[in-house]
Amino acid sequence: MVLASLLFAFLAAALHVFIFTMESLTWTRPATWKRFGIASQSDAETTKPMAYNQGFYNLFLAVGAFAGIGLAAAGGPGSAQSVAGWTLVFSCCGSMLLAAAVLAFTGRKYLRAAVTQGSAPLLAVVLGLLAVSR
């Protein structure tokens, strides 16, 4: 279960790097802003600073999850390194999961994105809790 949890944490982090790329680097490209339901190029330009900032939140969660994965994988069971790693994995993936829940409650049109964003961190957290509680 440890490996499965860390794999789902990795997938969640990788998705959040991709989201960072869209929000902070390619926001004003039509393919990107249309994916986010933005109505026009003008609206994309107007919301660019907000998206840029939000993208970095996603990147920081991903970096934290990647660091946690590395520490949890490298440390022996119960070691300080492992505890620090699992703390990062649970904190970052838990934040990703809660953000997906907020997105889901924002409106029905966001449900698919919320499921996409929240599935991997949910599995990482649940499987991780099962793994470390043994």
Side-chain angles (χ1 to χ4, degrees):
M1 263 189 257
V2 168
L3 183 59
S5 174
L6 296 179
L7 174 64
F8 283 113
F10 181 87
L11 293 173
L15 175 62
H16 279 72
V17 170
F18 177 64
I19 294 168
F20 155 76
T21 301
M22 289 187 296
E23 290 176 338
S24 296
L25 305 178
T26 66
W27 184 256
T28 55
R29 293 183 187 167
T32 299
W33 55 259
K34 287 178 183 177
R35 174 176 277 175
F36 283 86
I38 302 299
S40 67
Q41 185 70 41
S42 175
D43 289 347
E45 294 293 340
T46 300
T47 58
K48 183 178 178 180
M50 179 277 310
Y52 183 80
N53 187 5
Q54 185 170 309
F56 275 91
Y57 276 89
N58 285 300
L59 179 63
F60 299 147
L61 286 174
V63 169
F66 284 136
I69 293 163
L71 288 169
S79 68
Q81 194 175 13
S82 178
V83 170
W86 282 110
T87 300
L88 281 169
V89 168
F90 291 140
S91 176
C92 293
C93 288
S95 293
M96 292 173 191
L97 180 57
L98 291 171
V102 169
L103 185 60
F105 289 118
T106 301
R108 290 181 56 89
K109 72 179 185 175
Y110 300 108
L111 192 55
R112 180 177 175 203
V115 169
T116 300
Q117 181 180 326
S119 295
L122 172 64
L123 290 167
V125 168
V126 169
L127 293 173
L129 287 171
L130 291 172
V132 300
S133 66
R134 290 183 170 198

